[in-house]
Each structure stands twice: as C-alpha cells, then as structure tokens.
C-alpha cells in the first residue's frame, strides 16, 4: 500500500476522492493567468482530495498525513492566481469548501469557518445592516480563509487598506501540522504568522473579522477621453473625505470597451473608464464632484438603470481588480498582467511615466486604495505578452522607476513579493509544521536554509522581526 | 411703538420673551473664551427672544421682521465660541431649540429639524445601528443646525474630514429673509452658500446628513513622558487604515493632569496624554499597536472600568476639542487658546517647532483629522494669556512658520479665517437677505463694499467662485 492508500483508508468516514481527473481539477487555481506559471505548473496534481466538514475531521486528516509523511495543501475555492493552492509535491488536497458555517454575527464582528464564501457572509451580515470591510473581486466564489491565506485586498481597500493592516483581521484559529495538532487562536502581532502564508504555517479553520456598515452600493462608470484625466479624477475622488466610495478603478482605453462586453454599448472604444461603487446617499455629492470635471462623462449608473438592465450586467466589482484581467483573458488569451505599487505621493506622476513609456503594450488599470494612511494606487496593468524576457524587462523598468512589482508570475511567497519571511516566521513554521508537509515548495526560506531574507525588496506583508 | 413692540405684537401666538436679563442671557455664547471678544462683545444683547416651534412660525417671524427692518440673529444652543450667535445690532434673537423634530432615519441618512440636539439624533439613529459621522465636543448640548452654520468638525473628523467636505451634508432647507420668505432646498455646490455662514444667508430649518455605523466607542487615555512621543503615536495611529478610531487628541503635560479633574488620579503631572475613542472590536489591535511604543502607557480604558467608574467620569469626547479648553478655563480663567492647522506632510515637524519655540506659554493640544485625504492635525493649543499684543505675536509666529491660524478671537466670518467670502457668496446674500437683516456685522464683505476678498489667506470653507 502506498502512503496515499493508507491515508485514504484511515480517513474513511470523511469525504475523499481519488479519481485523477477530479483531483487534478481541484489541484488547479487561476495560475494560468500567467504564461510563466502555466508553463511551470500545468502538470501539477495532488493524489487525493479530502473534503472535511468539521474541524475535528481536519484534525484527523492532519494526524494521519503527519504520521504517513503525506503533504497537505489547503484549498479554499481555488481562485488564487499565483498557483498558491497547487500541490507541488502531490499528496492531499484539503478542500475546505464544506467547512463553511457562519458562526456568529455581532455589531462590528463576524466569526465564520474558513470555507465560508465571502458573499454568503455578507448575506448573513446584511440582516444587521453590516458587511465585510473589503473583499476580492472573487467575492461570489472565494472563501474567507483563502482570502486571508492567499489574498491581499480589493474592493473596500479604498477605505480600509489591505489585509496586512492591523485591525482588518481580529483573530484566526489555526490547526498545526503535528502528531497531535494544536489549536491556536492567533491575535495581535501573531496574526501575521499565518496571513498571506499560503497555508504553509497551519490550517486556518476559523476567522474573526470586523464588519462595517452595509449599503446598496451604486455602480457607476465614468468615461474620459484620456487615461490621465481618469487617473486625476480617481485620485481626487479618493481624497474626498466625505464622499463614501467603495471602489475607484480607472482603466485605460481600449480595455473597457473591448473587455466589458455587457457594458460595451455605453463605452466608446477610445474612452478610458473609471469603475466606481458609491454609497447611494452620496450620489448627489458624486454628481456634484463629477460636474467639476469637464471631461468626465457619466456613462452608467446602476441606480438609474431598470431592474432588468441591472441584472443583465455583472456588478461593478466584477469589472475590477483581477476581474478586469479575467475579462481580458476571455477576449484575448494572449495577454497577461502585472501588479504594481505606485507609491504616494508621486503615484499620478509615476502612472503618467509608465503610460508614456509603454503605451498600448501595457495599458493601464489602477485600483485606488488607502495605503499607510494615504490614498495611492496599485496597478494591475494588462501586458500584451510577447516573451518572458520582455515581461521581465517591463518588470525591471517599473522597479527602476520606483514602482515596485508584486510579481504574479511567481508561485513562492518571497518571489511574489507580497510576503516577507524572516527568522520569526521560520521559527513559527518549524513549530507549526516541523516536517514541512504544508503546501511544500512555496516558502523559499524553508526550502533553502541559505536563503537571504534580509534583502531590501518591498514587501506588502512585512517580516515579523521588524515589528 | 418701537419696531420691536410692533414685532412682538404681530407675533402673538408664538413664544416670545422680552425680559432684558433673559434676552441678554440668550444673546450670549461662549465668546468669553477669548479675552479679546470678551472685551468687545460683553455688552451685546438682543431686544426680543422668539422661540418658534415650526417652520411656519419662523416664516412669520421673518416676514414681520423684514417688514419692520428688525435684525434677526439665529441661535441654536449658543455654544459657538466666536460670538457668532451674538446680535451685534440687537433685534430679534431667533431661538431654534424647539424646532427639534427628528423627521426621518433611513439607512445612511437622517433628516432632522435644525434645532435637534446632536446626541438626541444619535439616540434615535442608534436604533438602526447608526450615528452621525462627526460632531463637536458639545454633542450633548449643541444643535445640528448650529453645527452646520457655525461649526467645522470634531469627533469623527479623523475618519470623515470636516463639514466643509462634499458629502458630509446632503441637503439644507433654508428660509430666506424677504417680504415673502422662500424655502430653498440646497444640495451640491449650493450647500456652501449657507454652511459656516453664521446664519447671515438664511435660516436653516432642516438638515439632511449622512449616518455611519454606530459603536459603543471605548474611551482610552494613553500616557507619555514627552509630548512629541504622544504626537508621533497619534500620527501613526491615525495612519493605521484598519484600526477604527473616532478620536485621537494628544495634549501636552501638565494640561491633562491639571484640567481633567475626574481623570486626575490616572495621570502624572508630567505626563502628556492622547485621548482616544476606539471601536470596541479594535481594542485587541489597539493594544497590539500601543505595545509597539515602549513609552506608551495605557492609563484608562472605559471598557475595563466598572459601570460606576465609567459614569463618574465625562466621556472622552468631553476631554477633547474645545472641551479641553473649557476644562482649562474652569481651572484657570486667565488662559485662552488658538486654532492652528499644521499642514500635511510636515505636521509633526511643525508641531515640534512650535512646541520648542513656545514651551509652556503655549502648551500643545492637537486633534488629528483627515484633511484633503491625508491624516494631519489641527491644534487648539492653550495660550497662557498676557496681552493682546503678545497673542497677536504668537499668531504671527505660527503663520510665519507655515501654520495657518483660524483666529478664534475674531467674530467676523472672514477674520476668523474659516469662511472665504466672494462675489458668488455675496450675490447669494443679496438675494436671500436683501436688507442685510440676518446676523448683521458678521460678514465683512457685506458691511464693507470695498473689502478685498481676493486675498491669499487659507480658508477652511473656500469661496464659491473657485469651484
Ligand atoms: C478573477 C480574479 C479576481 C481576483 N481578485 C482579487 C482581489 O481583488 N484581491 C485579492 O486579494 N485577490 C484576488 N484574487 C485572488 C483570489 O481570488 C483571492 O485571494 C481569494 O480570496 C482566494 O480565495 P480562495 O478561497 O479561492 O483561496 P485559494 O485560491 O483556494 O487559496 C489561496 C491560498 O490560501 C491557502 N488557503 C486557502 N484556504 C486556507 C485555509 N483555510 N488555511 C490555510 N491556508 C489556506 C491555499 O493553500 C492557497 O495558498 C483574484 C483572483 C481571480 C482569479
Ligand atoms: C466647549 C466647546 C466645545 C466645542 N467643540 C467644538 C468642536 O469640536 N467642533 C466645532 O466645530 N465646534 C465646536 N464648538 C463650537 C460649537 O459648540 C459648535 O460649532 C456647535 O455645533 C454650535 O452649535 P449651537 O447649536 O450651539 O450653535 P450656535 O452657537 O447657537 O450658533 C452657531 C452659529 O450658527 C448660527 N445658527 C445657528 N443655528 C442656525 C440655523 N438653524 N440657521 C442658520 N444659522 C444658524 C448662529 O447664528 C451662529 O452664528 C465648541 C464650543 C464649545 C464651547
């Protein structure tokens, strides 16, 4: 009997699946966004899919896998796009989609199991007039645990910053990968040990997150003749302290027209568009603000559309963040994208520079966010892909111009550039996963004892030692 | 019969009062904060106090006063501290404290009559988990109309900016001072015509304001050995995007110990204190953040105090903004204060400079706010008053160092420095109050046709022409 057979046998009573096709399907995420990762990871598959329904079942899976030295790679909904959830060394794919109870909703707080879908949490929270502060554009499919373990920010980050920011996650319950898995309730500085760690440090079973006031956000598309006009508008809108927006994302022509097929009739091909979500009671103020910009043309407002019009179209958040890229890939599978930070206070100038430098080879897509207390923007520009060499060149030019890249063409934590590992992080990994069985291959610092994590790169989730 | 007698007679059916002592009492506000205004305005009194209960009654008052050329000065709760509500030319004091119905509360919006007390609005809004975004520290006494017409910001401005910011007021219903008073519903750019205009432009009868999520805010006092440590802490706290605070106000030693008598036992005399209000579910994050500062000592947390302890003390917001000054004046009536803006991004450096320059002659009191999208601070420093000359010198030194003063020792809109008048503003005044009967003497641009409003001063509420 192979180790996998033993595990499978030992887990009877828990839902498992070893049909290779199904397992392979559940071993994949949106890694194919990247032509680089597509080449590197296309063959990857786990050996056994396990779908526990309770924390007790997870504990059993971990015990058995620990005993038999079988790797465990956790999967939420598999919407990550850096191959984060892909089991490089095979083994068990731990599918948490059925561990999805919403356990408690109080004023300002939700407690949910890790596999709960974010939009489902919001349906429950809405009953008390509340919703999550921020969510990825994969809101309707992604799990809360997967967001915390593999995401960074998204819709709502214009008000609340990102997952990295103290206060955006209250508590994480984690099971360790040991002979006797421990249950840890992490708060405060300890949260960073498992946040954006791709499940290399423990299995998140429960999440406690803050909630904010829920509104029936109005989707608005604003058109501009020039991309830089759209950028100026967005930057100014983000800096309006009294005008509540949940999303501000300018996208350069011709992307909006070419990619937003179900909004296409509103958009000229030469129009750059700002995708916005605005609080309903702020629409007067928004119209007032927009009227200050001679070049701004409001193309679409969901609050003025008929019910039928509205439901025939995706919500604005599914035009934003990596959904812009997804819509692009559907229309033109040869494109790819990058992730850029344009640091405050030169964000607008940096965007202009990159726009002038690359033109339609790298059409702009920005997402305005609050970052260390200031309004600035991330970029998720489309790249008209030719070769990996040119892609790396484009990356280098951004970095040389003071625009750090969080490289979405790398599957390790460190090379992706979002998560800094260090001695504290590594010590935690050693205690929580002494055999290195959790999502092997994703943390260089673990794989390579000579890895120098004291480099000067920009990391979104900084190392723990600095704190 | 005098004009006042005629008015009084014509208004029978409406509550009026002409007992000179009562009228004088209701003709005063907190002007005595300023030794300068105290000297200038101590004698001021209206002739007749009128207390309408409905908009129809106000309309009647305006008609009769217009006909008889009697000035009308509106009064909310009279908590303004620049003599805004003081009837320089006598006449009618229009007391709106009985026009106080809360008419409607929806998701994100309240509609209330102008005389509604802000804390009463919040009691009503709390039923749906909501509260006002921002309020002055006079929350428990001041009216919403008085805040809009005479205030600027306060508790909550760290999240939402000030009244000046588009989106913080949705709509104002105004009655004009004409033979047939018109009822105007102002929205958008027009709001600025009557905001912070001291009632010189029309009588606000109804206010529509946005609401936000309501929490049982935790009062926290954090002690520091040095004022600049407290300032650094506050600046960093304000820039934490995920940590929800409603108030961050550092106050230099020995003020906290000397002025906060009911918190005195927690505070050493040489301790500077940051007064905070923190969301209850953010207290873990707050403790984590505070622990990063070796010099920070949490002196008081209302969530850890007993019910008795808590109710024996004023809420944190009554230690903040101009309540700090008020507590100071009670202990030492010889002091006064200033209002300073320390512009981003040099706010901390500017505070250091002023602190070093003036020492205990001008002990620091800051209020961190969001201002044009950035975190910076206003100052309400205490001034150990000696002479008006020295006070003006202190003002000049601030301005020379790039720290604009909103002079609280002036009773005109323009000299106070918060409100810029211009041709648009003046044209609106001409149409809304053609005889100049509303709160005469407060708008220089009206009194003096040669007034040059095209100066380069910094104004909190900018002129309308610029828009
Ligand atoms: C179209 C599209 C749009 C996107 N938009 C955004 C965006 O706006 N913002 C953003 O941040 N991301 C975005 N992403 C990335 C991704 O969708 C989100 O991060 C999402 O929250 C991941 O959730 P998931 O449940 O799919 O996680 P998965 O992809 O299943 O997992 C993500 C990582 O977390 C690990 N993991 C999952 N669950 C757990 C757990 N319970 N314990 C420990 N480790 C776990 C996995 O092993 C993996 O490494 C987008 C992706 C796509 C394809
Ligand atoms: C201890 C203390 C603390 C304070 N803290 C703050 C603070 O944090 N932030 C802040 O902004 N202010 C503050 N203030 C100033 C003042 O309390 C507030 O601005 C308050 O909101 C004024 O409301 P009120 O009802 O007392 O108005 P009043 O003082 O009665 O009136 C203010 C001005 O508005 C006019 N007015 C009043 N009602 C109307 C109306 N319905 N239509 C037209 N004009 C009208 C009056 O004529 C007057 O010019 C403080 C004052 C004190 C004494």
């Amino acid at each position: 009997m192979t180790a996998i057979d033993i595990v499978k046998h030992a887990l009877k009573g828990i839902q498992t699946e070893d049909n290779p096709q199904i397992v392979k399907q559940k071993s994949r995420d949106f890694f194919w966004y990247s032509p680089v990762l597509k080449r590197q990871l296309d063959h990857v598959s786990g050996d056994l899919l396990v779908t526990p329904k309770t924390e007790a079942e997870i504990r059993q899976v971990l015990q058995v896998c620990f005993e038999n030295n079988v790797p465990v790679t956790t999967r939420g909904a598999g919407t990550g796009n850096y191959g984060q959830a892909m089991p490089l060394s095979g083994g068990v794919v731990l599918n948490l989609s059925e561990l999805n109870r919403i356990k408690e909703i109080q004023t300002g707080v939700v407690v949910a199991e890790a596999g709960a879908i974010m939009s489902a949490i919001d349906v429950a929270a809405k009953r008390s007039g509340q919703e999550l502060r921020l969510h990825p554009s994969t809101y309707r499919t992604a799990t809360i645990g997967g967001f915390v373990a593999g995401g960074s920010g998204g819709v709502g980050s214009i008000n609340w910053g990102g997952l990295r920011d103290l206060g955006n996650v209250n508590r994480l319950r984690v099971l360790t990968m040991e002979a006797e898995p421990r249950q840890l309730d992490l708060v405060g500085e300890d949260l960073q040990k498992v946040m954006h760690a791709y499940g290399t440090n423990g299995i998140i079973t429960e999440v406690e997150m803050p909630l904010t006031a829920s509104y029936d956000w109005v989707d608005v598309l604003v058109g501009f003749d020039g991309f830089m006009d759209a950028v100026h508008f967005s930057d100014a809108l983000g800096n309006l302290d009294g005008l509540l927006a949940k999303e501000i994302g300018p996208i350069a022509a011709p992307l909006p027209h070419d990619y937003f097929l179900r909004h296409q009739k509103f958009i000229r091909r030469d129009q750059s568009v700002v995708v916005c979500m605005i609080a309903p009671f702020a629409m007067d103020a928004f119209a007032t603000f927009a009227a200050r910009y001679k070049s701004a043309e409001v193309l679409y407002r969901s609050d003025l559309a008929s019910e039928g019009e509205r439901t025939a179209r995706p919500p604005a958040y599914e035009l934003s963040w990596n959904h812009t890229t997804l819509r692009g890939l559907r229309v033109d599978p040869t494109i790819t994208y990058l992730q850029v930070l344009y640091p405050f206070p030169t964000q607008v100038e940096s965007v202009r520079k990159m726009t002038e430098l690359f033109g339609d080879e790298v059409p702009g897509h920005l997402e305005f966010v609050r970052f260390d207390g200031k309004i600035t923007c991330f970029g998720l520009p489309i790249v008209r892909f030719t070769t990996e060499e040119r892609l790396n060149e484009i990356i280098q030019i951004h970095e040389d111009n003071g625009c750090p890249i969080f490289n979405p063409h790398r599957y390790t934590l460190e090379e992706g550039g979002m998560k800094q590992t260090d001695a504290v992080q590594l010590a935690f990994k050693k205690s929580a996963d002494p055999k290195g069985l959790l999502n092997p291959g994703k943390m260089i610092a673990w794989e390579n004892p000579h890895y120098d994590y004291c480099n000067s790169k920009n990391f979104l989730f900084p190392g723990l030692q600095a704190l």
Side-chain angles (χ1 to χ4, degrees), chain A:
Chain A
M1 279 218 295
T2 65
I4 292 291
D5 290 334
I6 298 171
V7 165
K8 190 183 167 194
H9 187 78
L11 293 182
K12 62 176 183 286
I14 300 177
Q15 188 185 320
T16 58
E17 173 64 64
D18 58 6
N19 175 320
Q21 260 171 317
I22 298 180
V23 177
K24 178 154 192 192
Q25 193 203 317
K26 291 291 185 187
S27 299
R28 298 160 85 78
D29 58 14
F30 284 68
F31 74 107
W32 52 265
Y33 260 48
S34 159
V36 183
L37 297 180
K38 177 138 179 64
R39 176 174 59 73
Q40 294 174 330
L41 303 182
D42 209 25
H43 67 282
V44 167
S45 181
D47 302 297
L48 185 70
L49 180 69
V50 184
T51 307
K53 288 191 166 62
T54 63
E55 195 183 288
E57 289 187 353
I58 299 178
R59 184 185 289 271
Q60 208 185 323
V61 177
L62 296 179
Q63 273 172 328
V64 171
C65 288
F66 184 85
E67 202 176 305
N68 294 282
N69 300 312
V70 169
V72 173
T73 300
T74 309
R75 180 182 184 83
T79 67
N81 47 285
Y82 324 130
Q84 296 113 298
M86 294 178 74
L88 302 183
S89 311
V92 162
V93 172
L94 185 69
N95 171 19
L96 294 193
S97 63
E98 308 260 309
L99 185 85
N100 58 12
R101 277 188 313 147
I102 297 162
K103 297 173 90 170
E104 196 184 320
I105 289 179
Q106 304 276 352
T107 303
V109 185
V110 59
V111 179
E113 288 182 338
I117 305 292
M118 277 173 273
S119 59
I121 292 176
D122 273 3
V123 167
K126 183 88 176 175
R127 278 175 223 132
S128 54
Q130 302 188 95
E131 65 185 27
L132 291 166
R133 287 177 169 182
L134 60 161
H135 64 73
S137 64
T138 45
Y139 181 57
R140 296 204 274 189
T141 50
T143 67
I144 189 78
F147 185 43
V148 169
S152 55
V155 179
S157 287
I158 184 68
N159 295 312
W160 298 103
L163 281 172
R164 66 199 272 277
D165 290 306
L166 192 61
N168 280 334
V169 177
N170 288 352
R171 182 178 56 81
L172 295 174
R173 179 163 291 175
V174 170
L175 281 183
T176 62
M177 182 55 161
E178 298 175 274
E180 288 299 329
R182 283 170 295 150
Q183 187 199 68
L184 308 176
D185 270 311
L186 303 180
V187 298
E189 308 289 12
D190 288 338
L191 287 165
Q192 293 289 344
K193 291 177 177 166
V194 292
M195 284 178 61
H196 202 86
Y198 294 178
T200 58
N201 270 339
I203 315 299
I204 301 169
T205 58
E206 185 180 296
V207 172
E208 183 180 320
M209 303 271 276
L211 296 172
T212 185
S214 153
Y215 301 113
D216 295 327
W217 300 96
V218 178
D219 293 347
V220 188
L221 301 188
V222 190
F224 295 85
D225 288 344
F227 181 53
M228 288 313 299
D229 288 340
V231 176
H232 280 288
F233 176 91
S234 301
D235 195 63
L237 178 58
N239 278 286
L240 283 186
D241 299 318
L243 203 160
L244 186 58
K246 190 173 180 177
E247 163 66 23
I248 307 173
I251 305 167
L255 309 185
H257 173 275
D258 287 359
Y259 295 172
F260 300 163
L261 302 182
R262 284 193 273 162
H263 292 84
Q264 201 173 54
K265 68 169 182 182
F266 303 115
I267 308 170
R268 288 199 326 268
R269 187 153 197 270
D270 61 354
Q271 251 173 345
S272 292
V273 165
V274 182
V275 175
C276 303
M277 290 167 65
I278 306 291
F281 49 82
M283 286 309 295
D284 259 6
F286 183 82
T288 303
F289 172 72
R292 291 180 189 169
Y293 287 75
K294 289 207 179 49
S295 57
E297 185 187 343
V298 175
L299 305 175
Y300 175 76
R301 279 176 59 163
S302 64
D303 61 337
L304 303 182
S306 71
E307 172 84 29
E309 284 249 47
R310 216 167 32 236
T311 49
R313 274 175 248 296
Y317 62 80
E318 288 182 1
L319 304 178
S320 76
W321 293 85
N322 251 325
H323 264 80
T324 317
T325 328
L326 181 61
R327 288 178 195 284
L329 283 162
R330 282 194 197 140
V331 169
D332 175 2
T334 68
I335 60 155
T336 186
Y337 83 117
L338 282 176
Q339 297 176 152
V340 192
L341 173 63
Y342 304 95
F344 179 88
T346 50
Q347 67 273 19
V348 172
E349 206 27 53
S350 299
V351 168
R352 180 195 311 282
K353 215 164 168 185
M354 294 304 100
T355 304
E356 283 170 6
L357 219 52
F358 294 112
D360 193 57
E361 184 186 8
V362 186
H365 163 204
L366 308 177
E367 293 290 346
F368 277 82
V369 297
R370 213 173 268 294
F371 192 83
D372 291 345
K374 286 96 197 162
I375 300 296
T376 187
C377 53
F378 284 109
L380 293 89
I382 294 296
V383 177
R384 308 220 187 257
F385 182 72
T386 48
T387 65
E388 287 187 29
E389 290 64 44
R390 178 58 182 162
L391 184 60
N392 288 329
E393 211 168 81
I394 294 172
I395 291 175
Q396 194 56 51
I397 293 171
H398 276 83
E399 302 242 332
D400 291 346
N401 279 281
C403 304
I405 295 283
F406 304 108
N407 193 339
H409 306 282
R410 295 288 179 272
Y411 58 77
T412 60
L413 285 167
E414 292 93 339
E415 291 170 301
M418 288 217 187
K419 177 84 171 181
Q420 183 168 29
T421 53
D422 63 11
V424 178
Q425 185 82 53
L426 205 58
F428 181 71
K429 164 100 176 152
K430 272 183 191 137
S431 91
D433 179 24
K435 288 188 176 176
L437 292 170
L438 293 181
N439 204 356
K442 302 294 167 60
M443 189 193 282
I444 306 182
W446 175 267
E447 311 289 331
N448 172 7
H450 302 295
Y451 175 69
D452 172 23
Y453 33 63
C454 306
N455 69 40
S456 61
K457 224 177 129 94
N458 250 294
F459 287 96
L460 207 54
F461 295 81
L464 289 153
Q465 238 156 9
L467 295 175

